[in-house]
Amino acid sequence: MSPRGAACYRRRVPKAPLLAPPGPPTISFYWDGAPVAACPGDTVASALIAAGELATSRSAKYRRLRGPACLHGGCGTCLVRVDGRPNQRACLTPVREDMRVEPQNTYGGLDPTALVDQVFRRGIDHHHLVVYPRIANQMMQGVARELAGFGELPDAPPEDVPGVVDHAPEVLVIGAGRSGRALATSLAAAGHPPLVVERRPAAALAGSDLPARLLAGVGVFACYPQERLWAAASEQPPVLHRLRPRHVVLAVGAHEPTIPLANNDLPGVVSARGLADMLEQTGRKLSARVVVIGEGARAELLASTLAAERVPPARVRKLIGARRVKGVQLEDGKILRCDLVALAPDPAPAFELAAQAGAPIHFTGAGFAPVVDADGRIAAGPAAHPLEAEGAQTAPPPPWTLWAVGELAGATTPAEIRGTVDRCAAALVRALAESPAPKDSHDRA
Amino acid sequence: MTARTFVCRCEDVTLTEIERAIAAGLSDVEEIKRYTGLGTGPCQGKECLSALGRLLVARNLIAPAALRPFTARPPVEPVTFGALAAGATDHPEDPSP
Ligand code: FES
């Protein structure tokens, strides 16, 4: 069995477009064998959503249809096969003429594994289900093994040998979103242009305020304090970046957590923030009917940006639809018809890199975040080696200072984000003046 | 389609499954991760971890100050084995021929 798209997808009827293009489409690529029109600036996800193609895979256990959701590189359900390479995030992959994009982990339009969702109506409790009799367990394991996994191996071994680039910047800024860019601008104006690393590709970063020293399409995937190293990589071209900065500012923003609602996994249920950003980046306009689900000022703002009706989660009974979302059923039985549901949860700070760097982490009520002072400075202790007993911390303190700005530092509104950027920039410029770079240190970027 | 409420879409962990874990006496993020598989898929918890944390706090199963995330191990972004291997090529002790 091949867990890839099958021919039955190909005779699909074209769907009603959901996002209007900013101009005539000039690019064409293949989605599961059928041509899709796109515009420069589109990602695979924006082009597919625009074309009404919302499902890109099936889920691991219940085999339900899934598609791009966070639109921000964070959720992992937009994974597709691009030109023979598996597990590419559709929402971070710019469209290219004639690229072949295929669904993953699905067996075509009439996928027989979809029956799992019907058969196990009360859920699969893997602690007890089909553990006995053993023969049934073995049969089930056999089937499950075939189903498991994310995509198939690449068609061919990669042609390029991955390269390595070392960088020793004075200031490293991770993230070129609003706060990262604003901070880079302030530092550059003060004579300390930072190196900015951003996981989104350059094509997805519209705007005139792009930092001068920018590595786009490069994801910082780890901080290894014991190695005194931050590590980042791009897949195409395949390059490993080893970063040894003196100061690190995390401008990594926040994740959009799910809102637990019945059928919150339907294709077409997306992040409101991700959708708003996608429209801004691509210049596309909504032609779809959207309902925003969320509470509070931020959800309100996103609903007005998307010109959509907003309902608080407590009023929602369930989302309806089968192969894609068709509407929101409210507790009073009323149904709001729509083509997309945009979730506007309280954002959860992207604390992961800060935690790896040794930052103390606390629960904010919305999610986890590093503890920061008024300037955004993080007091990261000496990094204990994971295999060392606690208390036997022999590692020296990290060779960098660590800071957070924007949503990671607890800001939610544009004004608060600006405030964290200004305070951090001022404090960082003072720190740079107090300890100028040693003579032998220079950027090798 | 069966109506299901997902807390973790990567690993298809539903609210019902979280409730089963709670009924089994579990009340913190790490335990529930180990019992249900929540947070172990491609997003590594970016979508579900805080949703679970909020749920546990809302049900008074744990105090906010006691809540800890599960360990955020590398990689936090997908990275190919090729790129990781590239970083090892200049190690003199590399035993490869
Ligand atoms: S990772 Fe692409 S939509 Fe979430």
Side-chain angles (χ1 to χ4, degrees), chain A residues 346-417:
Chain A
D346 292 338
F351 73 96
E352 292 85 356
L353 285 172
Q356 286 178 15
I361 302 294
H362 68 130
F363 187 68
T364 64
F368 295 93
V371 177
V372 298
D373 74 9
D375 296 328
R377 176 97 187 244
I378 299 172
H385 192 279
L387 298 181
E388 251 172 38
E390 237 181 292
Q393 296 186 2
T394 50
W400 49 68
T401 68
L402 188 62
W403 311 73
V405 291
E407 287 174 301
L408 185 65
T412 50
T413 65
E416 285 170 5
I417 290 174

Side-chain angles (χ1 to χ4, degrees), chain A residues 176-192:
Chain A
R178 283 183 193 91
S179 58
R181 285 193 213 182
L183 184 83
T185 305
S186 299
L187 291 178
H192 302 281

Side-chain angles (χ1 to χ4, degrees), chain A residues 45 67-79 89-92, chain B residues 9 47:
Chain A
C70 74
L71 310 179
H72 214 260
C75 73
T77 49
C78 67
L79 298 180
R89 282 173 288 183
C91 65
L92 294 187
Chain B
R9 289 184 313 128
E47 185 176 294

Side-chain angles (χ1 to χ4, degrees), chain A residues 276-340:
Chain A
D277 284 355
M278 172 186 275
L279 295 174
E280 190 184 320
Q281 282 153 20
T282 59
R284 285 184 175 273
K285 296 267 175 297
L286 274 173
S287 44
R289 293 165 297 176
V290 182
V291 172
V292 169
I293 300 179
E295 238 166 346
R298 184 174 179 270
E300 191 85 54
L301 187 68
L302 284 165
S304 80
T305 308
L306 297 169
E309 179 167 359
R310 181 185 67 87
V311 286
R315 272 187 63 208
V316 176
R317 181 181 298 163
K318 65 174 180 183
L319 310 188
I320 55 174
R323 300 186 63 83
R324 57 193 289 173
V325 75
K326 291 272 174 61
V328 178
Q329 186 176 45
L330 303 179
E331 278 302 348
D332 60 12
K334 193 175 150 202
I335 289 174
L336 306 173
R337 296 265 157 211
C338 61
D339 310 298
L340 296 172

Side-chain angles (χ1 to χ4, degrees), chain A residues 7-386:
Chain A
C8 23
Y9 258 101
R10 262 165 225 154
R11 263 173 284 115
R12 76 170 76 74
V13 269
K15 303 186 170 120
L18 300 184
L19 312 174
T26 53
I27 297 175
S28 171
F29 69 97
Y30 294 96
W31 165 239
D32 201 14
V36 173
C39 299
D42 264 330
T43 61
V44 169
S46 66
L48 288 179
I49 292 173
E53 295 289 347
L54 300 177
T56 53
S57 66
R58 279 192 186 271
S59 69
K61 201 159 91 186
Y62 296 114
R63 312 295 301 166
R64 289 157 72 100
L65 286 171
R66 295 281 167 79
C70 74
L71 310 179
H72 214 260
C75 73
T77 49
C78 67
L79 298 180
V80 288
R81 189 176 182 89
V82 177
D83 290 335
R85 298 177 65 84
N87 298 324
Q88 308 296 305
R89 282 173 288 183
C91 65
L92 294 187
T93 305
V95 290
R96 286 189 314 275
E97 183 68 23
D98 284 338
M99 75 201 296
R100 288 174 299 118
V101 185
E102 296 162 285
Q104 280 192 180
N105 205 26
T106 176
Y107 301 89
L110 296 172
D111 188 338
T113 66
L115 283 172
V116 173
D117 188 51
Q118 306 294 325
V119 172
F120 297 100
R121 297 191 80 84
R122 304 197 43 219
I124 297 176
D125 176 357
H126 59 259
H127 296 281
H128 302 107
L129 184 82
V130 212
V131 174
Y132 297 100
R134 300 303 288 169
I135 182 83
N137 180 265
Q138 280 159 12
M139 282 170 65
M140 194 191 75
Q141 296 293 345
V143 175
R145 272 165 198 261
E146 284 298 310
L147 295 178
F150 288 90
E152 292 184 324
L153 288 174
D155 288 347
E159 276 165 24
D160 310 339
V161 178
V164 188
V165 183
D166 286 297
H167 308 262
E170 198 175 26
V171 182
L172 168 68
V173 176
I174 302 177
R178 283 183 193 91
S179 58
R181 285 193 213 182
L183 184 83
T185 305
S186 299
L187 291 178
H192 302 281
L195 176 65
V196 183
V197 183
E198 164 61 50
R199 64 180 176 171
R200 283 172 291 171
L205 298 172
S208 53
D209 59 341
L210 285 187
R213 301 171 63 210
L214 173 68
L215 290 176
V218 176
V220 176
F221 63 84
C223 171
Y224 299 106
Q226 304 85 28
E227 317 286 336
R228 312 168 91 69
L229 175 73
W230 296 75
S234 59
E235 190 165 341
Q236 271 179 334
V239 177
L240 177 75
H241 295 268
R242 291 184 296 206
L243 302 145
R244 293 194 162 85
R246 292 184 62 226
H247 305 277
V248 183
V249 185
L250 300 170
V252 288
H255 309 306
E256 300 286 310
T258 190
I259 301 181
L261 295 168
N263 299 331
N264 55 352
D265 65 324
L266 278 168
V269 178
V270 298
S271 144
R273 159 83 190 273
L275 182 60
D277 284 355
M278 172 186 275
L279 295 174
E280 190 184 320
Q281 282 153 20
T282 59
R284 285 184 175 273
K285 296 267 175 297
L286 274 173
S287 44
R289 293 165 297 176
V290 182
V291 172
V292 169
I293 300 179
E295 238 166 346
R298 184 174 179 270
E300 191 85 54
L301 187 68
L302 284 165
S304 80
T305 308
L306 297 169
E309 179 167 359
R310 181 185 67 87
V311 286
R315 272 187 63 208
V316 176
R317 181 181 298 163
K318 65 174 180 183
L319 310 188
I320 55 174
R323 300 186 63 83
R324 57 193 289 173
V325 75
K326 291 272 174 61
V328 178
Q329 186 176 45
L330 303 179
E331 278 302 348
D332 60 12
K334 193 175 150 202
I335 289 174
L336 306 173
R337 296 265 157 211
C338 61
D339 310 298
L340 296 172
V341 163
L343 301 181
D346 292 338
F351 73 96
E352 292 85 356
L353 285 172
Q356 286 178 15
I361 302 294
H362 68 130
F363 187 68
T364 64
F368 295 93
V371 177
V372 298
D373 74 9
D375 296 328
R377 176 97 187 244
I378 299 172
H385 192 279

